[in-house]
Amino acid sequence: MNLNNKITIIIILYNSSNLIFDCLKSLSNFKIIIVDNGKNINVLSEIKKKKNIKVISKNKNLGFGNGVNFAFNEVQTEYFLLLNPDIVIDEKSILLLLNTALSYENCAIAAPLNVPDKDSYGILPEKRNIYEKNKLYFKDNIKKNLIPVGEICVDVSKGCALLIKSKYFYEVNLFSKKYFLFWEEIDLCRKFLNRKLSIIVNPNSLAFHKQGKSSKFSIRNFFVRCYHSELSPLYYFNIKKSSLYIYKNILKYLFRTLSYLLIFNLKNSIKNFSKLSANIFYVLK
């Protein structure tokens, strides 16, 4: 089977580290679309030498989901494989994902087992009891040490490695534009499930995840990640702007921001200030 005729790979880059080259090593037989979201000058000069890679950009940071939507305009294959730049997956594992996807007509996503992640897949967060616990939606202690012996249907799988059927992605209007970073894949999986489509994990397909190392660290990146980790679940759960929960958050994060600043713990002060800003933005928008 000519995988290049079946699958296009999409990778979103922002302020990328050299880990992207580990990701690309085993993907030479695929057409790859890379979205340049900015600050990738050091790696792009080398990437552009590769004949199987097309680099596209809107000359601004589109975020993750909107970056994928932008790249999807270039996809002409039945499936596309969404990869984080800190993922390493070989051709054999990609073929296993394709076989899974082709075996079930209603399969919208075929996903590998992410190694060493303990939270590779899980249930939708709204199936949990309390909103505050939903932020830990994958931290299921019952599931943590269990590895399936065969293909399983799940509610959601991590967005760092997903083989998605292009037709179904188009039918649900792609990734939601309201998410800039985080929770996009959870929202997408929910849309698929609402259409009676399946998300299937093949545990024999392995993706090795060097989590959190795809982008170089900076204070700005740290702020942005904390900000959107707070904002995105507010969108997902469609929390009412008049909700007492929001205003409790504002007071809590304001207190923590000032408290950590007084003891010169700058990192935690920035973290809580970013979360404070996200809640205020959500109320005012």
Side-chain angles (χ1 to χ4, degrees), residues 187-220:
D187 180 73
L188 179 68
C189 288
R190 181 169 64 175
K191 290 194 290 186
F192 284 146
L193 292 172
N194 286 340
R195 286 179 170 247
K196 308 300 182 184
L197 298 171
S198 296
I199 295 91
I200 302 175
V201 171
N202 185 335
N204 295 314
S205 174
L206 301 178
F208 297 90
H209 191 199
K210 300 176 181 179
Q211 191 172 11
K213 297 180 180 179
S214 58
S215 296
K216 301 169 187 174
F217 177 83
S218 71
I219 294 296
R220 185 179 186 278

Side-chain angles (χ1 to χ4, degrees), residues 60-85:
K60 63 179 181 179
N61 188 354
L62 299 174
F64 180 76
N66 287 314
V68 175
N69 293 346
F70 177 49
F72 185 68
N73 293 324
E74 306 278 339
V75 172
Q76 298 180 350
T77 49
E78 186 177 358
Y79 296 92
F80 68 95
L81 178 61
L82 179 57
L83 293 179
N84 276 11

Side-chain angles (χ1 to χ4, degrees), residues 4 15 17 30 65 168 212 239 259:
N4 197 36
N15 194 30
S17 71
F30 296 89
Y168 294 147
I239 301 297
S259 297

Side-chain angles (χ1 to χ4, degrees), residues 1-61:
M1 183 186 297
N2 189 341
L3 295 180
N4 197 36
N5 292 332
K6 282 283 186 182
I7 300 172
T8 302
I9 294 174
I10 294 177
I11 301 172
I12 310 299
L13 285 190
Y14 174 75
N15 194 30
S16 180
S17 71
N18 287 329
L19 279 181
I20 180 60
F21 298 116
D22 293 336
C23 175
L24 296 174
K25 276 181 185 178
S26 56
L27 304 178
S28 58
N29 291 327
F30 296 89
K31 178 184 177 182
I32 301 172
I33 299 171
I34 288 181
V35 178
D36 173 22
N37 267 346
K39 299 188 177 183
N40 298 305
I41 295 175
N42 292 336
V43 297
L44 282 181
S45 58
E46 187 65 28
I47 288 172
K48 287 179 179 177
K49 295 177 183 178
K50 300 181 183 294
K51 294 182 179 179
N52 63 318
I53 297 177
K54 181 176 183 179
V55 178
I56 60 175
S57 176
K58 278 200 169 183
N59 298 315
K60 63 179 181 179
N61 188 354

